[in-house]
Amino acid sequence: MCNISILITMNTFKRISLITLASLSLCASAKVVEDTPKYVPTEAIKKSQQEFSDAKLGIFIHWGIYSMYGRGEWFMTNENVDRLEYAKQADAFYPHRFDANEWAKVFKEAGAKYICFTSRHHDGFSMWDTKQSDYNIMNTPYGKDVLKSLAKACDKNDLKLHLYYSHIDWTREDYPAGRTGRGTGKNPANENWGQYYKFMNDQLTELLTNYGPIGAIWFDGWWDHDEDSVPFDWHLQEQYELIHRLQPACLVGNNHHGAPMEGEDIQIFERDLPGEMTTGFAKSVAEVSRLPLETCETMNGMWGYKVTDNNYKSTADIIRLLIKTSGKGANLLMNIGPQPNGELPAVALQRLKELGEWTTAYGETIYGTDAGDVKPEPWGVTTKRTVMPARIPATPPRRTASFLCMYLLQSALCLAMAETLCFICLWTGRLSLSPNSSEAQKWNTARRQMVLLWCFHARSKRLIMCWLYNDF
């Protein structure tokens, strides 16, 4: 017997009997890759993989001098901005309102277990005190190592720190240009892969040596050469081995939009759920491996700060996305693009606050779980757990109104803890968010109906939870 958490719309539940639910076919949510890789994870990596898989929610931070332009992180290549003109913004970058501790506190309260920070994006600007290039945060009016501050804040708030690192560079001339960054004024005659590869590995060595434990290195940019007539050799294996050697517990992931490659410890899906292909980033549906899974998604339309992008997802949409990824056995890496002054956008802060209210109340249904045995359906998803949680909250720790509790008890008691004790509790009530919440009126007018099926088997000491919800 295993633990199962089911999230379902009550409107649909009214039309579905428990018998129908029990008759649903139990099957895998996506095709599983069975090939045995040559790379064998160490025990340290396996432990990190389990911790990563249990986390379920992370925060992605896209931040760099591109925030100064307020047009997103791809502005440089999209508008063919000359690399030397673009770099002038570094002389004005002064995020005087940046507070790493406040960031970490907000992320923690939202229910996140880790953050992934863009140490260096495609524009080539490094957000730490690197000795490999002068093009970094220390050579700005701000002159402080934001990554060092963030690493300390993560440690203080018990958050894992993951680092995004771009494989491509629209500024350095030694990077062999792919299908992006061709209008930034670089001279192709100065391309030098060997020199650039050494530069990257030297930077990675800094990141994995000077900033404490790093949970994962999150690579991006492999796709820049996916249309080359002659396949481009990124020498990934040597790079992955370097990472595992410097920090044996550090995971490696690569956003190449395909099946995992040798030496990778997690599988990443950009703006898609595992096993789906709706955004066009992948040229084919990527096989879903047995590795820990992660879906990254933006809170609004862009990854980096864009001053005109106010198309933020609602709190309900973010919660649904978290539920869907959990039902696939994956983590949700939700992105925020900080402002050039170092502050998080006000709308993003509000969404995180409301998300935190949900994770505080219902986190038991996602944290530490795997994909359920019932495949995801339009009415909801399932998750399962093999270790019983320490406690089940009797009442969600948020402001609630007019809770009506109806307890229906069915039990069969036999000899000395040999049988199953079942409790079926029906809760009907109305949940409230903070009065100033943009979603408050919608949430306050919607009736919340929830069925908790709590089965405790005395022999196995395992718990089954079945949560059924109406639409948010």
Side-chain angles (χ1 to χ4, degrees), residues 19 44 63 76 81 95 115 128 145 148 186 214 254 306 323 353 365 373 410 431 454:
I19 296 177
W63 194 37
M76 182 181 184
V81 179
I115 70 170
W128 79 95
D145 190 337
K148 180 73 74 174
K186 299 200 301 180
I214 302 300
N254 197 322
K306 185 176 181 180
I323 290 171
K353 180 179 182 296
T365 64
D373 294 318
Q410 291 183 346
L431 303 182
W454 184 3

Side-chain angles (χ1 to χ4, degrees), residues 99-372:
D99 186 335
N101 288 315
E102 184 62 26
W103 280 19
K105 179 182 177 183
V106 168
F107 300 153
K108 182 76 172 180
E109 291 176 350
K113 304 301 182 182
Y114 64 97
I115 70 170
C116 186
F117 179 74
T118 50
S119 62
R120 172 176 163 272
H121 206 264
H122 308 323
D123 63 354
F125 185 81
S126 299
M127 294 290 285
W128 79 95
D129 184 11
T130 179
K131 307 304 181 186
Q132 311 308 317
S133 169
D134 292 333
Y135 196 35
N136 67 72
I137 187 68
M138 303 305 291
N139 295 314
T140 67
Y142 187 67
K144 300 176 185 177
D145 190 337
V146 298
L147 182 54
K148 180 73 74 174
S149 300
L150 200 55
K152 292 179 179 178
C154 285
D155 182 64
K156 179 180 178 180
N157 288 272
D158 194 27
L159 291 169
K160 294 281 188 180
L161 175 61
H162 298 186
L163 296 178
Y164 170 108
Y165 188 85
S166 174
H167 267 137
I168 69 180
D169 197 309
W170 298 328
T171 298
R172 290 182 63 95
E173 290 194 303
D174 54 3
Y175 169 68
R179 58 183 171 89
T180 66
R182 288 189 169 274
T184 62
K186 299 200 301 180
N187 184 355
N190 294 327
E191 293 179 357
N192 187 329
W193 168 249
Q195 177 177 294
Y196 180 71
Y197 186 70
K198 181 180 184 302
F199 159 76
M200 287 195 298
N201 287 343
D202 288 344
Q203 282 207 320
L204 289 168
T205 298
E206 288 181 341
L207 293 172
L208 294 166
T209 303
N210 301 330
Y211 295 90
I214 302 300
I217 295 294
W218 205 101
F219 285 116
D220 194 18
W222 179 94
W223 36 260
D224 198 39
H225 283 278
D226 62 359
E227 297 178 358
D228 291 8
S229 57
V230 178
F232 188 83
D233 186 359
W234 289 96
H235 293 88
L236 294 179
Q237 301 310 308
E238 298 93 324
Q239 203 164 63
Y240 294 171
E241 289 171 4
L242 171 68
I243 294 168
H244 289 142
R245 183 168 65 253
L246 291 172
Q247 289 207 23
C250 182
L251 303 174
V252 173
N254 197 322
N255 185 36
H256 46 56
H257 305 146
M261 299 180 183
E262 289 291 321
E264 295 174 6
D265 304 303
I266 61 176
Q267 186 175 6
I268 297 168
F269 299 85
E270 182 175 359
R271 306 184 94 164
D272 255 327
L273 295 176
E276 297 183 6
M277 188 181 67
T278 62
T279 58
F281 288 107
K283 291 181 171 56
S284 62
V285 177
E287 293 180 320
V288 180
S289 72
R290 294 188 183 277
L291 296 179
L293 310 174
E294 180 183 72
T295 288
C296 59
E297 180 58 276
T298 57
M299 189 175 285
N300 49 358
M302 297 294 292
W303 297 100
Y305 177 69
K306 185 176 181 180
V307 68
T308 59
D309 183 8
N310 293 308
N311 188 30
Y312 282 85
K313 294 175 178 61
S314 68
T315 303
D317 285 340
I318 294 172
I319 292 173
R320 289 192 191 102
L321 184 57
L322 177 59
I323 290 171
K324 289 178 180 178
T325 55
S326 297
K328 291 274 191 175
N331 291 1
L332 173 62
L333 184 61
M334 176 54 63
N335 180 79
I336 299 172
Q339 298 167 171
N341 66 355
E343 289 183 318
L344 302 175
V347 179
L349 288 172
Q350 185 64 29
R351 295 293 187 271
L352 291 175
K353 180 179 182 296
E354 294 168 356
L355 176 61
E357 293 174 349
W358 190 91
T359 56
T360 297
Y362 307 114
E364 297 280 8
T365 64
I366 59 172
Y367 298 129
T369 64
D370 297 319

Side-chain angles (χ1 to χ4, degrees), residues 402-462:
S402 66
F403 258 90
L404 174 63
C405 298
M406 299 167 58
Y407 297 92
L408 303 177
L409 175 63
Q410 291 183 346
S411 62
L413 300 177
C414 291
L415 298 176
M417 300 187 69
E419 298 299 324
T420 301
L421 181 63
C422 300
F423 295 88
I424 300 180
C425 306
L426 175 63
W427 289 1
T428 303
R430 184 174 62 199
L431 303 182
S432 300
L433 295 174
S434 62
N436 297 326
S437 168
S438 61
E439 299 290 321
Q441 184 174 2
K442 180 179 179 180
W443 282 58
N444 286 334
T445 56
R447 299 294 294 174
R448 293 291 174 268
Q449 295 183 322
M450 175 174 60
V451 175
L452 169 64
L453 175 60
W454 184 3
C455 300
F456 177 78
H457 196 293
R459 278 180 178 169
S460 64
K461 305 295 184 184
R462 293 180 181 178

